[in-house]
Amino acid sequence: MQQNLLILSHPVSSIHPTNQPKTMTVWIYHERQEALLCGQHALNNLLQRHAFTPDTLSQIANQLDAMELNFMAQNNEGGVHSKDYLKRIQEGSGNVDEQGNFSVEVLRAALLSRYRLELPNILQKGILDEREITTIDGFICNKSAHWFAIRKINGRYWNLNSTLERPEVISHFQLASEVDKLRGAGYSVFCVVESLPEICTNEAMMDQGLPQYWWKEDDLLKGKTNAMTRADDPWKNVGSGRRLDGKSYNNNGAAASLDVSGMTEDEMLQMAMMASLEQQDPSSASASDSTKSASIDDNTQSYELADEPPEGTPGSIKIQFRLPNGSRAVRRFFKSETVGALYTYVGMTCGKDHRGVELRAGFPPKDLGSRKDETVEDAGLAGEMVHGRIA
């Protein structure tokens, strides 16, 4: 009895795991590559659950496309009949292609709308200059059409690249050099600083993922060639709730509970997208238009655009653009250049005066007009997508 009282007075949650023997079984979720859906797998591996399907992400992409088109339609060169708008329509989606490649905006919108998690580029001011890289919960890395996740699980970092046969451990000592190596190879590295969903430590939590993608952490650390996945775990159904017909409460092994809430997924996504349009209140739209007109009429200042620094130049960052004509561009800038230089660049690229250019960035998209005198570093634009239109 005395022993029991002692145990009850020291709950497990209050004991630091590094000071106690590891008795719990930890499972690691690692979806493998299917078609070109690595963006979906990267999100799910980061979250350690089968949270998003291709259909869900495609719906987000379509809504983002609608937002971008709505933004482009508000121009003084013909609106929806302008050449740039019609060209953008002809090009199709800018956020998902026919092979299932999703843009970073889709991944960001998915994390923000469902989990209220932000996905900044690690180069943004306030990320690595305020904390050690080993205090960050997870990363999503992107180069061209490939995405993959790195996630801290049970005190260790794991490479969860969907092209790998199994998860690979990354030591704390190696993490910084691994991220630097990725950036040197042309990868953009984004991060979730904290508050990722909890890791899997029991059978009930494993219903949140597909059975063939769960790996027992202990087997991976021991380097077993036949490391166990849940699909071949002989104990996988012991103690889990089963129906009388032998089927699980979850028809496909995924987390149906993720979709059970007061609102449907579409409703939640619609709310997030509608908020970003910032057009619900006509009076607020009028105020925004008048402010925009004033800034265009009154701002005669020119912003210097430096020559583009070579790849790998210290103190430089990359910024992506969706130009007013619907095309995409990527350019390097010095961190010390002003946001106004971006207006100069877009204006020169489109053959327009910079005063007639409107730029937005972030999610939800926000007008950058009031931040022209800030540096691109202070404005947090490293690795961001900037959308432009001719006002």
Side-chain angles (χ1 to χ4, degrees):
M1 179 65 70
Q2 189 174 6
Q3 269 189 329
N4 289 338
L5 290 174
L6 285 173
I7 292 173
L8 289 173
S9 64
H10 293 82
V12 173
S13 59
S14 68
I15 300 174
H16 196 283
T18 58
N19 297 330
Q20 296 292 324
K22 293 183 179 179
T23 57
M24 66 179 179
T25 299
V26 173
W27 292 82
I28 297 174
Y29 191 68
H30 177 228
E31 288 189 1
R32 296 287 306 281
Q33 183 88 21
E34 292 183 10
L36 294 178
L37 298 173
C38 51
Q40 174 208 349
H41 300 317
L43 280 178
N44 290 343
N45 291 340
L46 179 75
L47 296 165
Q48 287 295 282
R49 59 198 64 205
H50 189 67
F52 296 103
T53 66
D55 287 344
T56 301
L57 296 180
S58 293
Q59 289 174 20
I60 297 175
N62 291 336
Q63 293 189 46
L64 288 173
D65 286 334
M67 288 166 51
E68 293 174 10
L69 287 170
N70 184 71
F71 175 57
M72 290 186 67
Q74 300 172 41
N75 63 71
N76 295 323
E77 298 188 342
V80 296
H81 301 294
S82 67
K83 290 182 179 178
D84 290 345
Y85 184 88
L86 294 175
K87 181 180 178 182
R88 174 70 173 80
I89 288 286
Q90 190 174 20
E91 286 181 349
S93 175
N95 291 290
V96 60
D97 62 22
E98 294 178 356
Q99 288 75 40
N101 294 312
F102 296 102
S103 68
V104 66
E105 288 87 355
V106 172
L107 274 62
R108 281 177 166 160
L111 288 173
L112 188 62
S113 62
R114 184 178 293 188
Y115 293 95
R116 297 184 180 179
L117 294 172
E118 296 186 348
L119 190 67
N121 191 296
I122 62 167
L123 295 180
Q124 286 191 15
K125 188 175 182 180
I127 302 297
L128 292 182
D129 53 353
E130 293 184 359
R131 60 181 60 82
E132 294 292 332
I133 194 169
T134 51
T135 63
I136 295 176
D137 277 359
F139 306 85
I140 285 187
C141 311
N142 169 246
K143 182 179 179 181
S144 299
H146 186 57
W147 298 87
F148 72 92
I150 297 173
R151 162 87 193 245
K152 184 190 289 185
I153 300 172
N154 198 25
R156 297 180 181 86
Y157 285 96
W158 291 86
N159 182 345
L160 302 171
N161 195 327
S162 58
T163 61
L164 296 174
E165 181 182 351
R166 64 183 66 196
E168 295 181 354
V169 69
I170 302 173
S171 71
H172 278 54
F173 177 75
Q174 294 174 316
L175 180 65
S177 61
E178 187 69 22
V179 170
D180 285 343
K181 189 188 303 181
L182 287 168
R183 290 184 51 225
Y187 276 86
S188 296
V189 181
F190 305 89
C191 67
V192 174
V193 175
E194 58 186 3
S195 302
L196 281 170
E198 60 184 331
I199 61 175
C200 176
T201 57
N202 59 61
E203 290 288 332
M205 296 175 70
M206 295 175 77
D207 282 338
Q208 297 176 128
L210 304 178
Q212 67 271 30
Y213 296 134
W214 288 110
W215 294 81
K216 188 174 285 188
E217 180 198 37
D218 189 53
D219 286 352
L220 292 171
L221 291 173
K222 291 177 180 177
K224 289 186 177 182
T225 56
N226 59 340
M228 183 185 297
T229 69
R230 195 199 185 197
D232 53 31
D233 180 5
W235 298 95
K236 65 182 179 182
N237 292 329
V238 177
S240 62
R242 311 296 292 180
R243 294 174 15 166
L244 292 178
D245 60 5
K247 298 179 181 177
S248 68
Y249 286 104
N250 207 324
N251 289 336
N252 59 3
S257 58
L258 290 174
D259 298 322
V260 179
S261 61
M263 299 176 64
T264 67
E265 180 179 279
D266 288 342
E267 287 170 338
M268 288 190 290
L269 290 173
Q270 187 66 32
M271 280 186 63
M273 302 307 166
M274 288 301 292
S276 64
L277 290 176
E278 300 177 344
Q279 292 184 333
Q280 294 89 334
D281 185 353
S283 63
S284 110
S286 300
S288 173
D289 289 342
S290 61
T291 303
K292 177 185 67 180
S293 299
S295 67
I296 292 173
D297 295 338
D298 299 338
N299 186 6
T300 58
Q301 179 179 353
S302 296
Y303 293 89
E304 182 180 354
L305 177 65
D307 292 337
E308 182 175 11
E311 180 75 40
T313 301
S316 66
I317 61 173
K318 286 182 181 179
I319 298 178
Q320 304 176 64
F321 292 88
R322 167 70 79 173
L323 298 171
N325 64 5
S327 63
R328 289 178 181 262
V330 179
R331 190 188 191 276
R332 292 179 294 277
F333 295 83
F334 289 104
K335 292 180 180 179
S336 57
E337 289 188 74
T338 64
V339 173
L342 274 58
Y343 283 78
T344 301
Y345 165 71
V346 173
M348 290 174 56
T349 303
C350 300
K352 303 288 183 180
D353 189 294
H354 75 90
R355 289 169 297 178
V357 171
E358 183 178 341
L359 301 180
R360 293 188 182 188
F363 184 82
K366 292 182 174 58
D367 193 339
L368 297 176
S370 63
R371 311 187 71 176
K372 289 183 179 180
D373 293 321
E374 296 182 32
T375 66
V376 291
E377 180 182 28
D378 288 341
L381 296 177
E384 287 294 308
M385 172 67 79
V386 175
H387 296 268
R389 72 177 174 91
I390 304 303

